[in-house]
Amino acid sequence: GQQALYKISKAYSVYDKEVGYCQGLSFLIAALVLHMPTEQAFGVLLRIMYNYEVRQQFLEGFRVLKLKLFQMEKLIEDIMPDLAGHFQAERIETHMFASQWFLTLYSSKFPLFAVFRFLDLFLCEGPITLFQVGLALLKLARPDLLTLDFEGILKYFRVQLPKKFSTDDHVNKLINQVVSIKVSSRKLKKYEKDFAAKMEAELLDSDPVERLRRENAGLRGAVLRLEQENDTLAHELVNSKIMLRTEMDELEKKVDRLSKQNRQFTESTTRMETERKQVSEEFSQFKQLYQQTVIELEEIKQRHDNEVAEHRHLCQELDERSQRVQHDLQQELLEVKARFSNMHPNSDMAAAEEDTPTASSYSSQERPVLPGSEDGQAKAGSVPQHFINSEARIRELEMELARHKLQLVESECRLQELEQKMKTSPEPEEGGATASSSSMGRWFTRKR
């Protein structure tokens, strides 16, 4: 900052040799350097000096500055006559406080954010802003100034007045006051004519040597004051640079710390994303295996249902066949009994019926002998051969029926076991897959 201030001041002194180096410009240059790069600051400084009548204030013995001070004094008398009378009573002249304002464009004492607002107005509205800002400052400070004496007024302008605008609210209030003040160009031209007449009268009435000495003394005082202000500003710039360097170091440390945390977070995010993809793949495989298992179980269940239905249908057919065979055997038994009764007398029928066993009580080792045969020539006590074959067929059918019933029971048991397995087998969920990814992965690996 200080190096840029030196470069711009030296460059301008070389560029504008008629004005050269002026200490009052250092405040304006410092404000520009703090707001923009060095090259741009130099360009803006040239535009302000040549296009906004600032350069003329430093020429011809500060004649333009004296004119502006005279106009400012007349405006105070018109707008605030009570304050102008108080200044005259305390022997306060306008150049004691306003010369520094006009030469530095209000950049010497006020806070930087207020200076930037003043410069914005100055660049937009032109040199007339100098009068509007000065009158607004006096209006806001008038209650305090009317209660102070000579030394108090000077100290107030030097110390207390800039501190009143240390916040944005006060600066906004001042800007609103500046915009509300209207300064007529016609009135300024009238004051300019009055100033020219006054200067001519002073030249006629005063000794040139004494006048020059007085002006020289005033200029020396102004130079001394500006040198002191320049030293103060340089000290403030150095302190500001140190503070900025400290803050920059802290910010760099913070940036390094945040960068490290960002890398860690990125690595953690990448790792978690990899784990999520792995768990998602395992879950997809598990879900596919589960669906395949369910399909297989449904196929087995359907097959067993078909087998059970076939066994039930077969058992039903065997029951029907058994009933038909029993009915046929009963009919044959009745026929045999009828034949047997015809072959024996009536007296022996009851004893024969009591001694005749049923077909179901025959065994393979002991058979009762019935008299007669189909053609009537068989011996007494012998049984027809087809009756014995029918009895053996009944026993085979009964054994086959018992075998099919046993298979039916076994199939129903297996079907119940499959249904129980399907009920106890849980449906996989997305949320549960992530929470138990490690255990599920081990189960899936074991199943494979």
Side-chain angles (χ1 to χ4, degrees):
Q2 194 170 7
Q3 188 70 20
L5 177 63
Y6 170 75
K7 289 181 179 180
I8 294 176
S9 299
K10 184 177 180 180
Y12 184 79
S13 65
V14 174
Y15 183 86
D16 189 359
K17 294 182 179 180
E18 188 176 2
V19 174
Y21 172 72
C22 299
Q23 291 182 348
L25 292 178
S26 60
F27 298 99
L28 176 60
I29 296 172
L32 296 177
V33 168
L34 293 175
H35 196 64
M36 61 188 71
T38 304
E39 293 78 6
Q40 294 181 9
F42 181 73
V44 174
L45 176 64
L46 293 180
R47 183 59 62 89
I48 290 174
M49 294 297 291
Y50 280 87
N51 295 359
Y52 289 86
E53 301 179 0
V54 178
R55 178 176 179 272
Q56 287 77 3
Q57 295 183 139
F58 297 91
L59 299 176
E60 300 178 1
F62 297 94
R63 184 182 181 280
V64 176
L65 175 62
K66 291 177 182 179
L67 171 62
K68 292 184 182 295
L69 293 174
F70 179 79
Q71 292 172 334
M72 184 68 176
E73 183 177 353
K74 292 300 180 180
L75 289 172
I76 295 173
E77 291 176 359
D78 292 342
I79 298 175
M80 293 172 284
D82 54 346
L83 184 61
H86 182 66
F87 283 168
Q88 291 178 1
E90 296 294 334
R91 299 182 182 278
I92 297 294
E93 298 180 3
T94 308
H95 70 85
M96 293 181 180
F97 58 87
S99 61
Q100 186 185 50
W101 293 352
F102 293 164
L103 289 174
T104 63
L105 303 183
Y106 298 92
S107 61
S108 60
K109 292 294 184 181
F110 293 93
L112 284 177
F113 58 88
V115 172
F116 295 148
R117 300 287 294 275
F118 296 157
L119 291 177
D120 289 340
L121 285 174
F122 181 77
L123 294 174
C124 292
E125 302 297 333
I128 200 171
T129 309
L130 296 175
F131 300 110
Q132 293 176 322
V133 174
L135 293 173
L137 290 171
L138 293 175
K139 269 191 173 183
L140 295 176
R142 181 169 56 179
D144 298 331
L145 293 173
L146 291 174
T147 61
L148 300 175
D149 56 2
F150 179 83
E151 295 181 357
I153 292 173
L154 295 181
K155 184 177 180 181
Y156 184 86
F157 280 119
R158 188 174 65 256
V159 179
Q160 298 178 6
L161 183 61
K163 291 183 179 179
K164 291 186 65 173
F165 304 100
S166 58
T167 61
D168 290 335
D169 294 336
H170 291 86
V171 175
N172 292 332
K173 183 178 179 182
L174 174 61
I175 297 300
N176 293 331
Q177 186 70 37
V178 170
V179 175
S180 65
I181 295 175
K182 303 300 179 182
V183 178
S184 174
S185 300
R186 183 180 302 176
K187 186 179 293 187
L188 291 177
K189 290 181 180 180
K190 179 180 177 298
Y191 294 155
E192 185 176 356
K193 293 180 181 179
D194 295 340
F195 175 74
K198 179 183 177 183
M199 294 299 293
E200 290 179 1
E202 288 181 356
L203 287 175
L204 293 175
D205 296 339
S206 63
D207 183 10
V209 176
E210 185 64 26
R211 179 175 53 82
L212 291 175
R213 286 177 180 176
R214 188 169 58 250
E215 291 179 357
N216 189 22
L219 292 175
R220 285 180 179 178
V223 168
L224 181 61
R225 184 174 63 254
L226 291 176
E227 287 179 351
Q228 293 176 353
E229 292 174 354
N230 185 40
D231 295 338
T232 303
L233 179 60
H235 182 69
E236 291 178 356
L237 285 175
V238 171
N239 292 336
S240 300
K241 188 173 182 180
I242 294 173
M243 292 177 61
L244 289 175
R245 182 71 260 178
T246 304
E247 293 178 357
M248 188 178 297
D249 293 338
E250 293 178 356
L251 290 176
E252 288 178 354
K253 293 180 181 178
K254 188 175 181 180
V255 167
D256 294 337
R257 184 171 65 256
L258 292 177
S259 300
K260 184 177 180 181
Q261 292 178 359
N262 186 30
R263 287 195 299 272
Q264 293 177 354
F265 178 75
T266 304
E267 293 175 358
S268 177
T269 303
T270 305
R271 186 171 60 256
M272 293 177 65
E273 183 67 19
T274 303
E275 293 178 357
R276 188 192 67 79
K277 291 181 179 179
Q278 183 179 0
V279 170
S280 178
E281 292 176 359
E282 292 180 356
F283 176 77
S284 300
Q285 295 175 358
F286 173 75
K287 186 175 181 179
Q288 184 179 0
L289 179 62
Y290 177 83
Q291 292 175 352
Q292 184 178 358
T293 304
V294 169
I295 293 173
E296 293 177 356
L297 291 176
E298 289 179 353
E299 292 177 354
I300 294 173
K301 180 177 178 298
Q302 184 66 29
R303 188 166 60 252
H304 281 283
D305 288 341
N306 295 334
E307 292 179 359
V308 169
E310 291 177 359
H311 285 299
R312 286 178 179 175
H313 181 68
L314 183 60
C315 291
Q316 186 177 0
E317 290 181 354
L318 291 176
D319 287 337
E320 293 177 357
R321 290 171 61 187
S322 176
Q323 289 176 3
R324 287 196 302 270
V325 170
Q326 287 182 1
H327 181 268
D328 294 340
L329 290 177
Q330 288 178 359
Q331 292 295 328
E332 284 189 25
L333 181 61
L334 292 176
E335 292 177 0
V336 170
K337 286 182 179 181
R339 291 175 185 175
F340 185 78
S341 60
N342 293 330
M343 293 173 61
H344 293 275
N346 294 329
S347 60
D348 296 335
M349 182 61 66
E353 289 180 358
E354 292 179 358
D355 295 336
T356 303
T358 61
S360 59
S361 62
Y362 292 158
S363 61
S364 58
Q365 288 83 8
E366 185 179 358
R367 300 284 182 182
V369 180
L370 296 178
S373 61
E374 290 182 357
D375 54 357
Q377 297 177 0
K379 295 181 180 180
S382 64
V383 179
Q385 185 64 32
H386 70 276
F387 181 77
I388 297 173
N389 294 334
S390 297
E391 184 182 2
R393 180 62 179 163
I394 288 174
R395 285 196 298 272
E396 290 178 0
L397 291 175
E398 289 177 350
M399 291 297 295
E400 186 176 359
L401 178 62
R403 220 172 24 252
H404 282 289
K405 285 184 177 181
L406 181 60
Q407 292 179 357
L408 177 62
V409 172
E410 291 177 353
S411 299
E412 289 179 350
C413 291
R414 286 196 299 272
L415 181 62
Q416 290 179 358
E417 290 179 359
L418 291 175
E419 290 177 351
Q420 186 66 23
K421 288 181 180 180
M422 293 179 67
K423 289 180 180 179
T424 56
S425 191
E427 180 70 23
E429 299 179 358
E430 294 287 343
T434 305
S436 59
S437 60
S438 61
S439 59
M440 186 170 63
R442 293 194 298 271
W443 179 89
F444 180 73
T445 305
R446 186 171 60 252
K447 285 294 183 180
R448 287 188 299 180

